[in-house]
Amino acid sequence: MAYKDYYDLLGVSRGASDADIKSAYRKLAKQYHPDKNQGDEKAAERFKEIGEAYAVLSDPEKRKLYDQYGHTGQMPPGYDGGNFQGGDFGGFDPSQFSDFFQGLFGMGGRRGGGFQGGGFGGGQVNLEDLLGNGGIGGTQGRRFVQNVEGELQVTLQEAFTGSDEVINIDGKRLSLRVPAGTRDGARLRLAGQGPGGGDVLLTIRVLEDPRFDLEGDDLTTTVDVPAPVAALGGTVTVQTMGGSGNLSVPVGSSGGRRMRLRGQGWPKKDGTRGDLYVRLNLTVPRDLTDEEKELYRQLRELRP
């Protein structure tokens, strides 16, 4: 994306607390989420921008770097604050990695993170084999070869369904597939795709979604239930990660009650899925007709 101030994107001051930044992100992510703005390219781009802004400002080290250097990507000599480490670059000029540094601030590739020099050995690791553990083996050093390490951010929806991503590595565009059911912290190695034939090691970071909470294999969401439906029973529509479903609300349900939709949670390695837990949030109409007001008065008299 073009240069934009991340604080302005989230609508917070430069001295905003972590809680303020998180709150602002949740509000904007809910407003511009693709599910609520289908076909709106501007909203989709806005959703990506606020995701990039949150990824930087919610990380103390990245925020410190951003506050000091902005989007310029200029680093002081010998900088070792988390994006490049060590003084020996194996014969490479650190300026060659400008695409990586710019990726941290949304300028180099799609939702890229910071990159670090590393010593991981060759061989390609399939991301699907690493779901849930994030481990990468191999410690063979490569002379005059610079391995780099970075992050790739995806939304919770993209991690659930899988997504095709494109990243920029040293001026080269690489395509990769994030499989369905990817977990935060899963890692991918792109063998031989780094500068000088080194490897690129990507850590997947899954952004928070204001609609769902993920714990283990289970998801939790909230659905509004009209008071009459909660009292008399009925059916409400629940948004799931895969679309939508119907939930039968028992007679006399109270606010805060948790109900379960089996098999609507997170994909597992064995092909099954966890469950979706639904919290009931009772609602009453804000604008009542005269007839409705009268009925509520009668109900109040019956059940003081």
Side-chain angles (χ1 to χ4, degrees), residues 225-236:
V225 179
V229 175
L232 303 175
T235 302
V236 294

Side-chain angles (χ1 to χ4, degrees), residues 61-70 79 83 101 104:
E61 183 65 28
K62 292 178 182 178
R63 183 179 179 182
K64 179 181 178 181
L65 190 64
Y66 177 76
D67 287 343
Q68 189 170 3
Y69 298 105
Y79 173 73
N83 283 59
F101 189 89
L104 169 64

Side-chain angles (χ1 to χ4, degrees), residues 68-228:
Q68 189 170 3
Y69 298 105
H71 284 73
T72 64
Q74 300 299 315
M75 297 178 295
Y79 173 73
D80 62 355
N83 283 59
F84 291 91
Q85 294 183 341
D88 182 6
F89 287 87
F92 284 88
D93 182 350
S95 65
Q96 294 176 1
F97 306 126
S98 60
D99 283 341
F100 302 148
F101 189 89
Q102 290 172 356
L104 169 64
F105 299 130
M107 297 170 64
R110 186 176 185 273
R111 294 196 299 275
F115 285 77
Q116 300 174 327
F120 291 96
Q124 182 156 349
V125 178
N126 190 302
L127 182 58
E128 295 190 23
D129 295 335
L130 295 172
L131 295 182
N133 57 44
I136 294 183
T139 57
Q140 294 178 331
R142 291 185 178 184
R143 190 176 183 183
F144 303 118
V145 173
Q146 178 67 41
N147 296 332
V148 291
E149 183 173 349
E151 295 181 352
L152 177 66
Q153 296 168 5
V154 297
T155 65
L156 188 67
Q157 184 69 53
E158 289 170 334
F160 177 84
T161 59
S163 66
D164 295 310
E165 305 291 336
V166 176
I167 59 175
N168 291 332
I169 301 297
D170 202 23
K172 179 171 57 177
R173 290 170 62 84
L174 299 176
S175 298
L176 59 100
R177 174 69 180 175
V178 176
T182 295
R183 301 278 184 164
D184 183 76
R187 305 190 74 182
L188 170 66
R189 177 182 295 175
L190 304 178
Q193 299 299 315
D199 296 341
V200 178
L201 298 162
L202 294 176
T203 300
I204 305 300
R205 292 302 177 196
V206 180
L207 298 174
E208 294 183 2
D209 191 312
R211 304 170 304 162
F212 297 96
D213 292 321
L214 175 62
E215 184 173 352
D217 297 320
D218 298 326
L219 290 161
T220 300
T221 190
T222 300
V223 63
D224 290 339
V225 179

